[in-house]
Amino acid sequence: VRNLQIHTYEEGFVKNLKLSVVVLLLTLSAGLLFAEGLTAQEMMAAAKAEITEITVADAKGLHDQGGIMFIDVRERNETATGVIPGATAIPRGLLEFRIAGAQADKNAKIVVYCKSGGRSSLATQTLLKMGYTNAVSMAGGWGAWEQAGYPVE
């Protein structure tokens, strides 16, 4: 009888071990299925579907009106080559941490730009998620502004 109890315990242990392995394999395979995620291009496309982009000419018109905050989300070494006059430089990677100190009014009109429009789309999406209701991205970015011959500092 004692032999039978040991055998039953071992069978239960083996069954539990097999079940644990199956659950682990299913969990890992599900993780691999979802680990692919989105590419940078897909993320930009998704952001552009959620935000408003304005042309560089429209951005210039807003700049000329005044009272509009321009945020340059390029890196420091990029802004060293010049910025739109009066723009606030906040690298995209620090935007969530610095925006409240730069602009507390979540209803303020904000134009976001980067080098070509990709990072500014993602940054604008972030601002909208943070409650900044009037944030837009400047299509073409710094390159389009500079190519149009608009003022820089």
Side-chain angles (χ1 to χ4, degrees):
V1 173
R2 190 167 187 210
N3 246 355
L4 182 62
Q5 289 176 344
I6 293 172
H7 182 68
T8 305
Y9 173 76
E10 288 174 352
E11 282 181 352
F13 177 77
V14 170
K15 282 182 182 178
N16 284 338
L17 181 61
K18 285 181 182 178
L19 182 61
S20 296
V21 169
V22 169
V23 169
L24 178 63
L25 290 175
L26 287 173
T27 303
L28 290 174
S29 63
L32 291 175
L33 288 174
F34 296 109
E36 290 180 33
L38 300 175
T39 66
Q41 295 301 322
E42 291 167 332
M43 289 179 69
M44 279 191 323
K48 287 184 180 201
E50 294 178 18
I51 66 165
T52 299
E53 279 191 297
I54 61 171
T55 66
V56 69
D58 288 339
K60 173 70 164 76
L62 291 172
H63 188 266
D64 290 347
Q65 284 178 15
I68 310 291
M69 180 178 201
F70 277 70
I71 299 177
D72 188 329
V73 294
R74 295 177 298 156
E75 297 298 318
R76 175 174 273 151
N77 63 321
E78 294 175 287
T79 59
T81 64
V83 296
I84 293 173
T88 301
I90 306 175
R92 182 175 163 257
L94 298 173
L95 184 63
E96 296 88 342
F97 304 102
R98 293 192 179 166
I99 187 60
Q103 181 55 266
D105 180 3
K106 292 196 174 189
N107 294 312
K109 292 181 181 177
I110 301 172
V111 175
V112 184
Y113 71 95
C114 62
K115 182 178 180 181
S116 61
R119 287 175 286 177
S120 63
S121 296
L122 295 168
T124 301
Q125 181 187 44
T126 296
L127 289 174
L128 293 172
K129 286 179 180 179
M130 293 180 74
Y132 288 86
T133 58
N134 293 310
V136 298
S137 177
M138 184 176 78
W142 170 256
W145 182 275
E146 199 173 33
Q147 186 176 1
Y150 296 150
V152 299
E153 60 181 31

